[in-house]
Amino acid sequence: MKKLMATGVVPGVRGTGRQVFPLAALQALQDRPVADLGGLGTAEVAVLRSDALRRVDEPGREWVGFGTALDDAQLLASLSGWWRCDPARVAAGGVLAVTVTGFVVAVLTGLTPWESDGAAGTAARFRFPAARLAGRLTDLTAPANAVGPADPQDVRLADLLLGTRLRSVSGGPIAYVPTASVAASVAAAVVAAEGE
């Protein structure tokens, strides 16, 4: 809850003094649907498990993380890497869902090409310089895309994902979640194997 409160994505939260999380907001979050990944048409989707904003001193950006206080350009810069990941795997999904505590709060597209920081092996970090901010939320309790993407595919992806719940597990900021089509294939294979 503290992470959600720090992002500014839940209105009516008071974070100073005695912390207050409005009951109506909590009930709205409980009712958020689970992301339907079957409509993506890919085997899996990459998820950026973001933290709340924090200031950094890096070329091209002052912030990392997610927060509603940033404008679109600042937010895109804050979410643009450098991450340890498999960049081809991220790009293959066609979309990078940005989550805070399991809720999709932003959507990035345009994940090709990618750049490496030049480190060797598993120490390498990557970013996606042509990434676009297809969607972002300013209010998770009443999700509406605060970005007006021009690309119809970006609109579709943002509409599909923004405000939904998307569980992911990873030791780092990037996770990979199988879509429903892959999960169904795995389940079918398990059933077939049990029948043998």
Side-chain angles (χ1 to χ4, degrees):
M1 286 303 196
K2 287 183 179 181
K3 191 184 288 189
L4 272 179
M5 292 169 74
T7 65
V9 79
V10 179
V13 166
R14 190 174 73 216
T16 59
R18 186 170 170 220
Q19 293 183 332
V20 175
F21 200 99
L23 178 59
L26 182 59
Q27 291 169 332
L29 296 184
Q30 288 175 327
D31 292 338
R32 299 305 318 140
V34 174
D36 178 8
L37 303 179
L40 295 177
T42 59
E44 65 184 359
V45 62
V47 177
L48 171 59
R49 301 166 63 231
S50 184
D51 207 345
L53 286 178
R54 69 178 170 82
R55 202 173 266 286
V56 293
D57 183 19
E58 295 180 8
R61 65 181 180 174
E62 299 176 51
W63 302 93
V64 294
F66 178 85
T68 59
L70 300 183
D71 65 30
D72 290 353
Q74 290 172 315
L75 183 60
L76 180 59
S78 76
L79 299 173
S80 68
W82 298 87
W83 309 300
R84 286 191 178 114
C85 66
D86 178 341
R89 198 171 168 189
V90 172
V95 64
L96 182 60
V98 180
T99 62
V100 173
T101 65
F103 293 98
V104 180
V105 294
V107 175
L108 300 180
T109 58
L111 303 172
T112 53
W114 55 82
E115 295 176 351
S116 170
D117 67 355
T122 59
R125 294 176 185 258
F126 298 88
R127 74 181 192 106
F128 301 85
R132 298 183 305 275
L133 186 62
R136 68 179 288 187
L137 295 181
T138 57
D139 181 349
L140 183 57
T141 64
N145 193 350
V147 176
D151 184 309
Q153 178 68 351
D154 285 1
V155 172
R156 185 185 79 78
L157 292 170
D159 288 349
L160 183 67
L161 294 170
L162 281 176
T164 62
R165 289 181 288 141
L166 181 56
R167 285 192 71 175
S168 60
V169 178
S170 174
I174 300 289
Y176 305 95
V177 177
T179 63
S181 58
V182 170
S185 297
V186 170
V190 169
V191 169
E194 289 175 350
E196 293 178 355

